[in-house]
Amino acid sequence: MKYQKKNATVKAHQWKKNGDYPGDQVYNYLDELENLQESEGKIVKKYYTKDLDDDFTVCNVCNQYMYSHGWLPYNFDGLLICPGDFIVTNPDNTYTIMRENEFLNEYESINEDYHAGYLEGKREVLESIQLISFWMSHDLSIIDNVNKLLTYILSD
Ligand SMILES: [Zn+2]
């Protein structure tokens, strides 16, 4: 037997820094010493043991400083996000964190506007064919076959 990987579309966002995740709603504020500070993301937090690490602690996964990392609270614990990681939302609303190269090996982005335009264009062409076949043929079986073909082609 041979198996082919299923064609899967997933929702995913690349996280590079605090505030990158949709809904993070990061804002700036002045702290008690009048220094400009950035709030942490509502969804992807700042790496949670930031205070325990000095500024030179480096991640053993990505070699970047720990303070530049994110933390996604999850399942009474959380997921560490290295800068550049993709946060994949699975169909059951669980998360998978993937390194950039690992993610890009498996997925390519869909240009949703282009894809919608492509489907619309295809639909217009096929509807024209349907109309032409209707006017050119009085044979109902031909019209029926054209309709079946169009239904099949448009089903994606
Ligand atoms: Zn890292």
mmCIF file of all heavy atoms in Angstrom, residues 32-53:
data_model
loop_
_atom_site.group_PDB
_atom_site.id
_atom_site.type_symbol
_atom_site.label_atom_id
_atom_site.label_comp_id
_atom_site.label_asym_id
_atom_site.label_seq_id
_atom_site.Cartn_x
_atom_site.Cartn_y
_atom_site.Cartn_z
ATOM 1 N N GLU A 32 5.595 53.227 37.200
ATOM 2 C CA GLU A 32 5.697 54.175 38.317
ATOM 3 C C GLU A 32 6.946 55.060 38.220
ATOM 4 O O GLU A 32 6.989 56.128 38.813
ATOM 5 C CB GLU A 32 5.628 53.431 39.673
ATOM 6 C CG GLU A 32 6.654 52.340 39.901
ATOM 7 C CD GLU A 32 6.237 50.985 39.283
ATOM 8 O OE1 GLU A 32 5.313 50.934 38.457
ATOM 9 O OE2 GLU A 32 6.891 49.983 39.619
ATOM 10 N N LEU A 33 7.962 54.589 37.449
ATOM 11 C CA LEU A 33 9.167 55.415 37.250
ATOM 12 C C LEU A 33 9.088 56.225 35.953
ATOM 13 O O LEU A 33 10.084 56.744 35.477
ATOM 14 C CB LEU A 33 10.414 54.524 37.225
ATOM 15 C CG LEU A 33 10.680 53.739 38.518
ATOM 16 C CD1 LEU A 33 11.815 52.732 38.311
ATOM 17 C CD2 LEU A 33 11.017 54.694 39.669
ATOM 18 N N GLU A 34 7.893 56.285 35.401
ATOM 19 C CA GLU A 34 7.648 57.033 34.165
ATOM 20 C C GLU A 34 8.397 56.459 32.959
ATOM 21 O O GLU A 34 8.713 57.182 32.020
ATOM 22 C CB GLU A 34 8.018 58.531 34.336
ATOM 23 C CG GLU A 34 7.268 59.219 35.459
ATOM 24 C CD GLU A 34 5.963 59.869 34.996
ATOM 25 O OE1 GLU A 34 6.030 60.769 34.163
ATOM 26 O OE2 GLU A 34 4.894 59.448 35.471
ATOM 27 N N ASN A 35 8.725 55.166 33.034
ATOM 28 C CA ASN A 35 9.330 54.505 31.872
ATOM 29 C C ASN A 35 8.236 53.900 31.002
ATOM 30 O O ASN A 35 7.264 53.348 31.512
ATOM 31 C CB ASN A 35 10.283 53.391 32.314
ATOM 32 C CG ASN A 35 11.538 53.945 32.970
ATOM 33 O OD1 ASN A 35 12.112 54.940 32.513
ATOM 34 N ND2 ASN A 35 11.940 53.325 34.067
ATOM 35 N N LEU A 36 8.451 54.016 29.684
ATOM 36 C CA LEU A 36 7.470 53.458 28.755
ATOM 37 C C LEU A 36 7.550 51.928 28.792
ATOM 38 O O LEU A 36 8.626 51.351 28.641
ATOM 39 C CB LEU A 36 7.754 53.978 27.341
ATOM 40 C CG LEU A 36 6.678 53.699 26.284
ATOM 41 C CD1 LEU A 36 5.362 54.397 26.645
ATOM 42 C CD2 LEU A 36 7.156 54.150 24.913
ATOM 43 N N GLN A 37 6.441 51.292 29.028
ATOM 44 C CA GLN A 37 6.382 49.833 29.086
ATOM 45 C C GLN A 37 5.338 49.329 28.103
ATOM 46 O O GLN A 37 4.430 50.061 27.723
ATOM 47 C CB GLN A 37 6.002 49.355 30.496
ATOM 48 C CG GLN A 37 6.957 49.772 31.591
ATOM 49 C CD GLN A 37 8.273 49.021 31.556
ATOM 50 O OE1 GLN A 37 8.409 48.004 30.861
ATOM 51 N NE2 GLN A 37 9.256 49.532 32.273
ATOM 52 N N GLU A 38 5.495 48.065 27.735
ATOM 53 C CA GLU A 38 4.529 47.450 26.828
ATOM 54 C C GLU A 38 3.799 46.356 27.603
ATOM 55 O O GLU A 38 4.439 45.531 28.245
ATOM 56 C CB GLU A 38 5.290 46.858 25.639
ATOM 57 C CG GLU A 38 4.413 46.271 24.570
ATOM 58 C CD GLU A 38 5.245 45.665 23.438
ATOM 59 O OE1 GLU A 38 5.953 44.666 23.683
ATOM 60 O OE2 GLU A 38 5.199 46.191 22.329
ATOM 61 N N SER A 39 2.493 46.369 27.551
ATOM 62 C CA SER A 39 1.739 45.323 28.240
ATOM 63 C C SER A 39 2.001 43.984 27.557
ATOM 64 O O SER A 39 2.394 43.949 26.392
ATOM 65 C CB SER A 39 0.243 45.633 28.193
ATOM 66 O OG SER A 39 -0.247 45.434 26.880
ATOM 67 N N GLU A 40 1.779 42.898 28.301
ATOM 68 C CA GLU A 40 1.965 41.612 27.629
ATOM 69 C C GLU A 40 0.697 41.236 26.888
ATOM 70 O O GLU A 40 -0.389 41.752 27.171
ATOM 71 C CB GLU A 40 2.390 40.526 28.614
ATOM 72 C CG GLU A 40 1.348 40.099 29.605
ATOM 73 C CD GLU A 40 1.831 38.931 30.472
ATOM 74 O OE1 GLU A 40 2.892 38.355 30.203
ATOM 75 O OE2 GLU A 40 1.120 38.612 31.430
ATOM 76 N N GLY A 41 0.860 40.350 25.899
ATOM 77 C CA GLY A 41 -0.278 39.941 25.092
ATOM 78 C C GLY A 41 -1.362 39.309 25.935
ATOM 79 O O GLY A 41 -1.079 38.677 26.940
ATOM 80 N N LYS A 42 -2.618 39.501 25.498
ATOM 81 C CA LYS A 42 -3.721 38.877 26.230
ATOM 82 C C LYS A 42 -3.734 37.370 26.024
ATOM 83 O O LYS A 42 -4.199 36.639 26.888
ATOM 84 C CB LYS A 42 -5.062 39.442 25.732
ATOM 85 C CG LYS A 42 -5.469 40.718 26.422
ATOM 86 C CD LYS A 42 -6.929 41.023 26.132
ATOM 87 C CE LYS A 42 -7.421 42.145 27.031
ATOM 88 N NZ LYS A 42 -8.780 42.556 26.675
ATOM 89 N N ILE A 43 -3.275 36.934 24.866
ATOM 90 C CA ILE A 43 -3.327 35.492 24.574
ATOM 91 C C ILE A 43 -1.938 34.868 24.726
ATOM 92 O O ILE A 43 -1.746 33.966 25.526
ATOM 93 C CB ILE A 43 -3.934 35.240 23.183
ATOM 94 C CG1 ILE A 43 -5.389 35.727 23.200
ATOM 95 C CG2 ILE A 43 -3.865 33.757 22.813
ATOM 96 C CD1 ILE A 43 -6.045 35.830 21.866
ATOM 97 N N VAL A 44 -0.973 35.360 23.947
ATOM 98 C CA VAL A 44 0.396 34.883 24.143
ATOM 99 C C VAL A 44 1.077 35.840 25.117
ATOM 100 O O VAL A 44 1.288 37.012 24.816
ATOM 101 C CB VAL A 44 1.181 34.802 22.820
ATOM 102 C CG1 VAL A 44 2.627 34.384 23.072
ATOM 103 C CG2 VAL A 44 0.522 33.806 21.870
ATOM 104 N N LYS A 45 1.354 35.328 26.314
ATOM 105 C CA LYS A 45 1.967 36.127 27.377
ATOM 106 C C LYS A 45 3.459 36.230 27.140
ATOM 107 O O LYS A 45 4.017 35.550 26.289
ATOM 108 C CB LYS A 45 1.722 35.464 28.741
ATOM 109 C CG LYS A 45 0.302 35.034 29.008
ATOM 110 C CD LYS A 45 -0.529 36.225 29.329
ATOM 111 C CE LYS A 45 -1.960 35.820 29.695
ATOM 112 N NZ LYS A 45 -2.836 36.969 29.742
ATOM 113 N N LYS A 46 4.090 37.057 27.962
ATOM 114 C CA LYS A 46 5.553 37.038 27.958
ATOM 115 C C LYS A 46 5.996 35.773 28.673
ATOM 116 O O LYS A 46 5.305 35.279 29.576
ATOM 117 C CB LYS A 46 6.100 38.282 28.650
ATOM 118 C CG LYS A 46 5.840 39.551 27.821
ATOM 119 C CD LYS A 46 6.361 40.795 28.488
ATOM 120 C CE LYS A 46 6.112 42.025 27.618
ATOM 121 N NZ LYS A 46 6.481 43.288 28.273
ATOM 122 N N TYR A 47 7.138 35.244 28.282
ATOM 123 C CA TYR A 47 7.694 34.028 28.876
ATOM 124 C C TYR A 47 7.619 34.099 30.397
ATOM 125 O O TYR A 47 8.077 35.040 31.010
ATOM 126 C CB TYR A 47 9.139 33.879 28.386
ATOM 127 C CG TYR A 47 9.939 32.838 29.094
ATOM 128 C CD1 TYR A 47 9.519 31.513 29.102
ATOM 129 C CD2 TYR A 47 11.121 33.173 29.739
ATOM 130 C CE1 TYR A 47 10.258 30.558 29.757
ATOM 131 C CE2 TYR A 47 11.866 32.214 30.387
ATOM 132 C CZ TYR A 47 11.425 30.914 30.400
ATOM 133 O OH TYR A 47 12.162 29.965 31.047
ATOM 134 N N TYR A 48 7.047 33.085 31.037
ATOM 135 C CA TYR A 48 6.570 33.275 32.408
ATOM 136 C C TYR A 48 7.621 33.227 33.508
ATOM 137 O O TYR A 48 7.357 33.681 34.604
ATOM 138 C CB TYR A 48 5.424 32.312 32.706
ATOM 139 C CG TYR A 48 5.835 30.967 33.224
ATOM 140 C CD1 TYR A 48 5.309 30.508 34.437
ATOM 141 C CD2 TYR A 48 6.715 30.165 32.528
ATOM 142 C CE1 TYR A 48 5.671 29.273 34.913
ATOM 143 C CE2 TYR A 48 7.072 28.943 33.011
ATOM 144 C CZ TYR A 48 6.553 28.489 34.199
ATOM 145 O OH TYR A 48 6.912 27.278 34.672
ATOM 146 N N THR A 49 8.803 32.627 33.247
ATOM 147 C CA THR A 49 9.816 32.691 34.301
ATOM 148 C C THR A 49 10.873 33.733 33.964
ATOM 149 O O THR A 49 12.009 33.658 34.419
ATOM 150 C CB THR A 49 10.500 31.329 34.578
ATOM 151 O OG1 THR A 49 11.024 30.861 33.346
ATOM 152 C CG2 THR A 49 9.524 30.329 35.138
ATOM 153 N N LYS A 50 10.472 34.722 33.175
ATOM 154 C CA LYS A 50 11.351 35.826 32.792
ATOM 155 C C LYS A 50 12.136 36.380 33.989
ATOM 156 O O LYS A 50 13.345 36.602 33.897
ATOM 157 C CB LYS A 50 10.462 36.934 32.205
ATOM 158 C CG LYS A 50 11.174 38.099 31.598
ATOM 159 C CD LYS A 50 10.124 38.998 30.921
ATOM 160 C CE LYS A 50 10.774 40.150 30.189
ATOM 161 N NZ LYS A 50 10.964 41.322 31.002
ATOM 162 N N ASP A 51 11.441 36.554 35.121
ATOM 163 C CA ASP A 51 12.077 37.155 36.297
ATOM 164 C C ASP A 51 13.164 36.267 36.902
ATOM 165 O O ASP A 51 14.020 36.742 37.632
ATOM 166 C CB ASP A 51 11.026 37.462 37.372
ATOM 167 C CG ASP A 51 10.016 38.479 36.860
ATOM 168 O OD1 ASP A 51 10.319 39.166 35.878
ATOM 169 O OD2 ASP A 51 8.920 38.549 37.444
ATOM 170 N N LEU A 52 13.099 34.952 36.627
ATOM 171 C CA LEU A 52 14.103 34.040 37.201
ATOM 172 C C LEU A 52 15.370 33.984 36.351
ATOM 173 O O LEU A 52 16.420 33.561 36.801
ATOM 174 C CB LEU A 52 13.529 32.620 37.326
ATOM 175 C CG LEU A 52 12.279 32.489 38.195
ATOM 176 C CD1 LEU A 52 11.800 31.040 38.201
ATOM 177 C CD2 LEU A 52 12.554 32.967 39.613
ATOM 178 N N ASP A 53 15.259 34.395 35.105
ATOM 179 C CA ASP A 53 16.410 34.360 34.204
ATOM 180 C C ASP A 53 17.058 35.733 34.155
ATOM 181 O O ASP A 53 16.368 36.743 34.202
ATOM 182 C CB ASP A 53 15.964 34.000 32.783
ATOM 183 C CG ASP A 53 15.393 32.598 32.701
ATOM 184 O OD1 ASP A 53 15.897 31.716 33.409
ATOM 185 O OD2 ASP A 53 14.447 32.404 31.920
#
